[in-house]
PDB file of all heavy atoms in Angstrom:
ATOM      1  N   THR A   1      34.471 -29.341 -24.673  1.00  0.00           N
ATOM      2  CA  THR A   1      33.799 -29.645 -23.404  1.00  0.00           C
ATOM      3  C   THR A   1      34.257 -28.746 -22.263  1.00  0.00           C
ATOM      4  O   THR A   1      33.730 -28.833 -21.159  1.00  0.00           O
ATOM      5  CB  THR A   1      34.091 -31.100 -22.992  1.00  0.00           C
ATOM      6  OG1 THR A   1      35.507 -31.254 -22.822  1.00  0.00           O
ATOM      7  CG2 THR A   1      33.574 -32.070 -24.035  1.00  0.00           C
ATOM      8  N   ALA A   2      35.213 -27.863 -22.533  1.00  0.00           N
ATOM      9  CA  ALA A   2      35.794 -27.066 -21.446  1.00  0.00           C
ATOM     10  C   ALA A   2      34.759 -26.196 -20.741  1.00  0.00           C
ATOM     11  O   ALA A   2      34.734 -26.105 -19.514  1.00  0.00           O
ATOM     12  CB  ALA A   2      36.923 -26.183 -21.986  1.00  0.00           C
ATOM     13  N   ASN A   3      33.882 -25.546 -21.510  1.00  0.00           N
ATOM     14  CA  ASN A   3      32.890 -24.663 -20.878  1.00  0.00           C
ATOM     15  C   ASN A   3      31.930 -25.442 -19.981  1.00  0.00           C
ATOM     16  O   ASN A   3      31.555 -24.988 -18.903  1.00  0.00           O
ATOM     17  CB  ASN A   3      32.106 -23.902 -21.945  1.00  0.00           C
ATOM     18  CG  ASN A   3      32.946 -22.817 -22.592  1.00  0.00           C
ATOM     19  OD1 ASN A   3      33.903 -22.335 -22.001  1.00  0.00           O
ATOM     20  ND2 ASN A   3      32.590 -22.447 -23.812  1.00  0.00           N
ATOM     21  N   ALA A   4      31.538 -26.614 -20.446  1.00  0.00           N
ATOM     22  CA  ALA A   4      30.627 -27.429 -19.636  1.00  0.00           C
ATOM     23  C   ALA A   4      31.300 -27.844 -18.330  1.00  0.00           C
ATOM     24  O   ALA A   4      30.685 -27.833 -17.263  1.00  0.00           O
ATOM     25  CB  ALA A   4      30.203 -28.664 -20.422  1.00  0.00           C
ATOM     26  N   GLU A   5      32.585 -28.200 -18.416  1.00  0.00           N
ATOM     27  CA  GLU A   5      33.327 -28.589 -17.214  1.00  0.00           C
ATOM     28  C   GLU A   5      33.416 -27.406 -16.244  1.00  0.00           C
ATOM     29  O   GLU A   5      33.286 -27.566 -15.029  1.00  0.00           O
ATOM     30  CB  GLU A   5      34.744 -29.052 -17.598  1.00  0.00           C
ATOM     31  CG  GLU A   5      34.791 -30.290 -18.482  1.00  0.00           C
ATOM     32  CD  GLU A   5      34.515 -31.555 -17.695  1.00  0.00           C
ATOM     33  OE1 GLU A   5      34.088 -31.463 -16.516  1.00  0.00           O
ATOM     34  OE2 GLU A   5      34.712 -32.645 -18.243  1.00  0.00           O
ATOM     35  N   LEU A   6      33.634 -26.199 -16.786  1.00  0.00           N
ATOM     36  CA  LEU A   6      33.770 -25.019 -15.948  1.00  0.00           C
ATOM     37  C   LEU A   6      32.463 -24.711 -15.220  1.00  0.00           C
ATOM     38  O   LEU A   6      32.456 -24.402 -14.026  1.00  0.00           O
ATOM     39  CB  LEU A   6      34.191 -23.827 -16.805  1.00  0.00           C
ATOM     40  CG  LEU A   6      34.510 -22.525 -16.065  1.00  0.00           C
ATOM     41  CD1 LEU A   6      35.627 -22.743 -15.053  1.00  0.00           C
ATOM     42  CD2 LEU A   6      34.893 -21.449 -17.069  1.00  0.00           C
ATOM     43  N   GLU A   7      31.338 -24.795 -15.929  1.00  0.00           N
ATOM     44  CA  GLU A   7      30.044 -24.552 -15.305  1.00  0.00           C
ATOM     45  C   GLU A   7      29.785 -25.563 -14.188  1.00  0.00           C
ATOM     46  O   GLU A   7      29.265 -25.221 -13.126  1.00  0.00           O
ATOM     47  CB  GLU A   7      28.935 -24.633 -16.360  1.00  0.00           C
ATOM     48  CG  GLU A   7      28.974 -23.476 -17.360  1.00  0.00           C
ATOM     49  CD  GLU A   7      27.958 -23.658 -18.468  1.00  0.00           C
ATOM     50  OE1 GLU A   7      27.156 -24.617 -18.386  1.00  0.00           O
ATOM     51  OE2 GLU A   7      27.965 -22.858 -19.419  1.00  0.00           O
ATOM     52  N   TYR A   8      30.175 -26.808 -14.433  1.00  0.00           N
ATOM     53  CA  TYR A   8      29.968 -27.852 -13.432  1.00  0.00           C
ATOM     54  C   TYR A   8      30.807 -27.573 -12.183  1.00  0.00           C
ATOM     55  O   TYR A   8      30.341 -27.699 -11.043  1.00  0.00           O
ATOM     56  CB  TYR A   8      30.340 -29.206 -14.024  1.00  0.00           C
ATOM     57  CG  TYR A   8      29.887 -30.375 -13.173  1.00  0.00           C
ATOM     58  CD1 TYR A   8      28.617 -30.935 -13.332  1.00  0.00           C
ATOM     59  CD2 TYR A   8      30.727 -30.902 -12.201  1.00  0.00           C
ATOM     60  CE1 TYR A   8      28.214 -31.997 -12.547  1.00  0.00           C
ATOM     61  CE2 TYR A   8      30.322 -31.971 -11.407  1.00  0.00           C
ATOM     62  CZ  TYR A   8      29.059 -32.515 -11.591  1.00  0.00           C
ATOM     63  OH  TYR A   8      28.653 -33.560 -10.816  1.00  0.00           O
ATOM     64  N   ALA A   9      32.059 -27.126 -12.415  1.00  0.00           N
ATOM     65  CA  ALA A   9      32.952 -26.834 -11.293  1.00  0.00           C
ATOM     66  C   ALA A   9      32.414 -25.686 -10.451  1.00  0.00           C
ATOM     67  O   ALA A   9      32.488 -25.705  -9.224  1.00  0.00           O
ATOM     68  CB  ALA A   9      34.353 -26.493 -11.813  1.00  0.00           C
ATOM     69  N   GLN A  10      31.859 -24.670 -11.100  1.00  0.00           N
ATOM     70  CA  GLN A  10      31.314 -23.543 -10.359  1.00  0.00           C
ATOM     71  C   GLN A  10      30.137 -23.978  -9.500  1.00  0.00           C
ATOM     72  O   GLN A  10      29.964 -23.516  -8.368  1.00  0.00           O
ATOM     73  CB  GLN A  10      30.876 -22.436 -11.328  1.00  0.00           C
ATOM     74  CG  GLN A  10      30.448 -21.155 -10.626  1.00  0.00           C
ATOM     75  CD  GLN A  10      31.575 -20.547  -9.798  1.00  0.00           C
ATOM     76  OE1 GLN A  10      32.637 -20.227 -10.328  1.00  0.00           O
ATOM     77  NE2 GLN A  10      31.356 -20.396  -8.497  1.00  0.00           N
ATOM     78  N   ALA A  11      29.330 -24.869 -10.032  1.00  0.00           N
ATOM     79  CA  ALA A  11      28.195 -25.377  -9.262  1.00  0.00           C
ATOM     80  C   ALA A  11      28.671 -26.116  -8.017  1.00  0.00           C
ATOM     81  O   ALA A  11      28.088 -26.000  -6.939  1.00  0.00           O
ATOM     82  CB  ALA A  11      27.348 -26.301 -10.130  1.00  0.00           C
ATOM     83  N   VAL A  12      29.771 -26.856  -8.165  1.00  0.00           N
ATOM     84  CA  VAL A  12      30.329 -27.581  -7.017  1.00  0.00           C
ATOM     85  C   VAL A  12      30.808 -26.605  -5.948  1.00  0.00           C
ATOM     86  O   VAL A  12      30.565 -26.784  -4.753  1.00  0.00           O
ATOM     87  CB  VAL A  12      31.488 -28.494  -7.474  1.00  0.00           C
ATOM     88  CG1 VAL A  12      32.252 -29.034  -6.268  1.00  0.00           C
ATOM     89  CG2 VAL A  12      30.950 -29.635  -8.310  1.00  0.00           C
ATOM     90  N   LEU A  13      31.476 -25.531  -6.371  1.00  0.00           N
ATOM     91  CA  LEU A  13      31.967 -24.547  -5.412  1.00  0.00           C
ATOM     92  C   LEU A  13      30.812 -23.879  -4.678  1.00  0.00           C
ATOM     93  O   LEU A  13      30.879 -23.632  -3.468  1.00  0.00           O
ATOM     94  CB  LEU A  13      32.803 -23.489  -6.136  1.00  0.00           C
ATOM     95  CG  LEU A  13      34.149 -23.974  -6.691  1.00  0.00           C
ATOM     96  CD1 LEU A  13      34.854 -22.832  -7.403  1.00  0.00           C
ATOM     97  CD2 LEU A  13      35.033 -24.519  -5.593  1.00  0.00           C
ATOM     98  N   ASP A  14      29.755 -23.572  -5.410  1.00  0.00           N
ATOM     99  CA  ASP A  14      28.593 -22.966  -4.764  1.00  0.00           C
ATOM    100  C   ASP A  14      27.996 -23.904  -3.720  1.00  0.00           C
ATOM    101  O   ASP A  14      27.553 -23.474  -2.655  1.00  0.00           O
ATOM    102  CB  ASP A  14      27.531 -22.623  -5.817  1.00  0.00           C
ATOM    103  CG  ASP A  14      28.005 -21.524  -6.759  1.00  0.00           C
ATOM    104  OD1 ASP A  14      28.955 -20.806  -6.387  1.00  0.00           O
ATOM    105  OD2 ASP A  14      27.444 -21.408  -7.864  1.00  0.00           O
ATOM    106  N   MET A  15      28.019 -25.190  -4.029  1.00  0.00           N
ATOM    107  CA  MET A  15      27.420 -26.177  -3.139  1.00  0.00           C
ATOM    108  C   MET A  15      28.280 -26.400  -1.893  1.00  0.00           C
ATOM    109  O   MET A  15      27.776 -26.534  -0.780  1.00  0.00           O
ATOM    110  CB  MET A  15      27.248 -27.503  -3.896  1.00  0.00           C
ATOM    111  CG  MET A  15      26.655 -28.631  -3.064  1.00  0.00           C
ATOM    112  SD  MET A  15      26.470 -30.110  -4.072  1.00  0.00           S
ATOM    113  CE  MET A  15      28.158 -30.454  -4.527  1.00  0.00           C
ATOM    114  N   THR A  16      29.630 -26.390  -2.073  1.00  0.00           N
ATOM    115  CA  THR A  16      30.530 -26.683  -0.955  1.00  0.00           C
ATOM    116  C   THR A  16      30.903 -25.450  -0.153  1.00  0.00           C
ATOM    117  O   THR A  16      31.463 -25.544   0.935  1.00  0.00           O
ATOM    118  CB  THR A  16      31.827 -27.341  -1.463  1.00  0.00           C
ATOM    119  OG1 THR A  16      32.455 -26.442  -2.393  1.00  0.00           O
ATOM    120  CG2 THR A  16      31.537 -28.666  -2.140  1.00  0.00           C
ATOM    121  N   GLY A  17      30.651 -24.256  -0.733  1.00  0.00           N
ATOM    122  CA  GLY A  17      30.974 -23.025  -0.016  1.00  0.00           C
ATOM    123  C   GLY A  17      32.450 -22.721   0.030  1.00  0.00           C
ATOM    124  O   GLY A  17      32.918 -22.022   0.923  1.00  0.00           O
ATOM    125  N   THR A  18      33.241 -23.215  -0.926  1.00  0.00           N
ATOM    126  CA  THR A  18      34.688 -22.964  -0.925  1.00  0.00           C
ATOM    127  C   THR A  18      35.099 -22.025  -2.048  1.00  0.00           C
ATOM    128  O   THR A  18      36.266 -21.928  -2.391  1.00  0.00           O
ATOM    129  CB  THR A  18      35.465 -24.291  -1.078  1.00  0.00           C
ATOM    130  OG1 THR A  18      35.008 -24.944  -2.273  1.00  0.00           O
ATOM    131  CG2 THR A  18      35.239 -25.190   0.109  1.00  0.00           C
ATOM    132  N   GLY A  19      34.134 -21.313  -2.628  1.00  0.00           N
ATOM    133  CA  GLY A  19      34.436 -20.448  -3.764  1.00  0.00           C
ATOM    134  C   GLY A  19      35.394 -19.323  -3.448  1.00  0.00           C
ATOM    135  O   GLY A  19      36.057 -18.798  -4.335  1.00  0.00           O
ATOM    136  N   ASP A  20      35.483 -18.903  -2.167  1.00  0.00           N
ATOM    137  CA  ASP A  20      36.404 -17.823  -1.832  1.00  0.00           C
ATOM    138  C   ASP A  20      37.827 -18.330  -1.646  1.00  0.00           C
ATOM    139  O   ASP A  20      38.754 -17.543  -1.491  1.00  0.00           O
ATOM    140  CB  ASP A  20      35.943 -17.097  -0.562  1.00  0.00           C
ATOM    141  CG  ASP A  20      35.882 -18.036   0.634  1.00  0.00           C
ATOM    142  OD1 ASP A  20      35.726 -19.250   0.422  1.00  0.00           O
ATOM    143  OD2 ASP A  20      35.985 -17.537   1.773  1.00  0.00           O
ATOM    144  N   MET A  21      38.029 -19.622  -1.652  1.00  0.00           N
ATOM    145  CA  MET A  21      39.354 -20.190  -1.430  1.00  0.00           C
ATOM    146  C   MET A  21      39.978 -20.777  -2.691  1.00  0.00           C
ATOM    147  O   MET A  21      41.193 -20.885  -2.797  1.00  0.00           O
ATOM    148  CB  MET A  21      39.280 -21.305  -0.368  1.00  0.00           C
ATOM    149  CG  MET A  21      38.768 -20.838   0.981  1.00  0.00           C
ATOM    150  SD  MET A  21      39.769 -19.525   1.693  1.00  0.00           S
ATOM    151  CE  MET A  21      41.324 -20.374   1.867  1.00  0.00           C
ATOM    152  N   VAL A  22      39.168 -21.188  -3.647  1.00  0.00           N
ATOM    153  CA  VAL A  22      39.692 -21.827  -4.860  1.00  0.00           C
ATOM    154  C   VAL A  22      38.740 -21.505  -6.003  1.00  0.00           C
ATOM    155  O   VAL A  22      37.532 -21.399  -5.815  1.00  0.00           O
ATOM    156  CB  VAL A  22      39.829 -23.359  -4.655  1.00  0.00           C
ATOM    157  CG1 VAL A  22      38.490 -23.997  -4.383  1.00  0.00           C
ATOM    158  CG2 VAL A  22      40.490 -24.010  -5.882  1.00  0.00           C
ATOM    159  N   SER A  23      39.297 -21.332  -7.204  1.00  0.00           N
ATOM    160  CA  SER A  23      38.476 -20.921  -8.331  1.00  0.00           C
ATOM    161  C   SER A  23      37.893 -22.116  -9.075  1.00  0.00           C
ATOM    162  O   SER A  23      38.422 -23.228  -9.030  1.00  0.00           O
ATOM    163  CB  SER A  23      39.312 -20.095  -9.312  1.00  0.00           C
ATOM    164  OG  SER A  23      40.235 -20.914  -9.993  1.00  0.00           O
ATOM    165  N   ALA A  24      36.792 -21.849  -9.788  1.00  0.00           N
ATOM    166  CA  ALA A  24      36.173 -22.888 -10.607  1.00  0.00           C
ATOM    167  C   ALA A  24      37.132 -23.346 -11.698  1.00  0.00           C
ATOM    168  O   ALA A  24      37.162 -24.519 -12.072  1.00  0.00           O
ATOM    169  CB  ALA A  24      34.878 -22.356 -11.224  1.00  0.00           C
ATOM    170  N   GLU A  25      37.927 -22.395 -12.232  1.00  0.00           N
ATOM    171  CA  GLU A  25      38.873 -22.755 -13.287  1.00  0.00           C
ATOM    172  C   GLU A  25      39.861 -23.813 -12.796  1.00  0.00           C
ATOM    173  O   GLU A  25      40.205 -24.753 -13.511  1.00  0.00           O
ATOM    174  CB  GLU A  25      39.636 -21.509 -13.765  1.00  0.00           C
ATOM    175  CG  GLU A  25      38.786 -20.545 -14.588  1.00  0.00           C
ATOM    176  CD  GLU A  25      37.952 -19.612 -13.732  1.00  0.00           C
ATOM    177  OE1 GLU A  25      37.920 -19.804 -12.493  1.00  0.00           O
ATOM    178  OE2 GLU A  25      37.318 -18.705 -14.301  1.00  0.00           O
ATOM    179  N   THR A  26      40.322 -23.637 -11.540  1.00  0.00           N
ATOM    180  CA  THR A  26      41.272 -24.600 -10.984  1.00  0.00           C
ATOM    181  C   THR A  26      40.655 -25.987 -10.892  1.00  0.00           C
ATOM    182  O   THR A  26      41.270 -26.991 -11.258  1.00  0.00           O
ATOM    183  CB  THR A  26      41.735 -24.140  -9.591  1.00  0.00           C
ATOM    184  OG1 THR A  26      42.364 -22.862  -9.715  1.00  0.00           O
ATOM    185  CG2 THR A  26      42.710 -25.135  -8.990  1.00  0.00           C
ATOM    186  N   ILE A  27      39.421 -26.054 -10.404  1.00  0.00           N
ATOM    187  CA  ILE A  27      38.768 -27.347 -10.258  1.00  0.00           C
ATOM    188  C   ILE A  27      38.482 -27.974 -11.616  1.00  0.00           C
ATOM    189  O   ILE A  27      38.683 -29.170 -11.826  1.00  0.00           O
ATOM    190  CB  ILE A  27      37.460 -27.202  -9.461  1.00  0.00           C
ATOM    191  CG1 ILE A  27      37.763 -26.598  -8.086  1.00  0.00           C
ATOM    192  CG2 ILE A  27      36.771 -28.548  -9.300  1.00  0.00           C
ATOM    193  CD1 ILE A  27      38.773 -27.377  -7.277  1.00  0.00           C
ATOM    194  N   ALA A  28      38.032 -27.161 -12.572  1.00  0.00           N
ATOM    195  CA  ALA A  28      37.748 -27.683 -13.909  1.00  0.00           C
ATOM    196  C   ALA A  28      39.000 -28.311 -14.506  1.00  0.00           C
ATOM    197  O   ALA A  28      38.959 -29.382 -15.115  1.00  0.00           O
ATOM    198  CB  ALA A  28      37.232 -26.564 -14.816  1.00  0.00           C
ATOM    199  N   GLN A  29      40.153 -27.638 -14.306  1.00  0.00           N
ATOM    200  CA  GLN A  29      41.410 -28.187 -14.810  1.00  0.00           C
ATOM    201  C   GLN A  29      41.710 -29.529 -14.162  1.00  0.00           C
ATOM    202  O   GLN A  29      42.199 -30.455 -14.789  1.00  0.00           O
ATOM    203  CB  GLN A  29      42.552 -27.203 -14.521  1.00  0.00           C
ATOM    204  CG  GLN A  29      42.510 -25.936 -15.366  1.00  0.00           C
ATOM    205  CD  GLN A  29      43.023 -26.168 -16.772  1.00  0.00           C
ATOM    206  OE1 GLN A  29      43.513 -27.247 -17.083  1.00  0.00           O
ATOM    207  NE2 GLN A  29      42.892 -25.169 -17.619  1.00  0.00           N
ATOM    208  N   ARG A  30      41.387 -29.636 -12.874  1.00  0.00           N
ATOM    209  CA  ARG A  30      41.773 -30.843 -12.135  1.00  0.00           C
ATOM    210  C   ARG A  30      40.994 -32.075 -12.551  1.00  0.00           C
ATOM    211  O   ARG A  30      41.528 -33.172 -12.553  1.00  0.00           O
ATOM    212  CB  ARG A  30      41.604 -30.603 -10.631  1.00  0.00           C
ATOM    213  CG  ARG A  30      42.654 -29.661 -10.074  1.00  0.00           C
ATOM    214  CD  ARG A  30      42.634 -29.687  -8.568  1.00  0.00           C
ATOM    215  NE  ARG A  30      43.725 -28.882  -8.050  1.00  0.00           N
ATOM    216  CZ  ARG A  30      44.129 -28.921  -6.803  1.00  0.00           C
ATOM    217  NH1 ARG A  30      43.554 -29.728  -5.955  1.00  0.00           N
ATOM    218  NH2 ARG A  30      45.113 -28.156  -6.394  1.00  0.00           N
TER     219      ARG A  30
END
């Protein structure tokens, strides 16, 4: 399920506009 979690995290970053401050990988791990 890791890839699905990563894609979801990236979508969240795009929506919140915080992609330049924290990576999708970090959020997926969390």
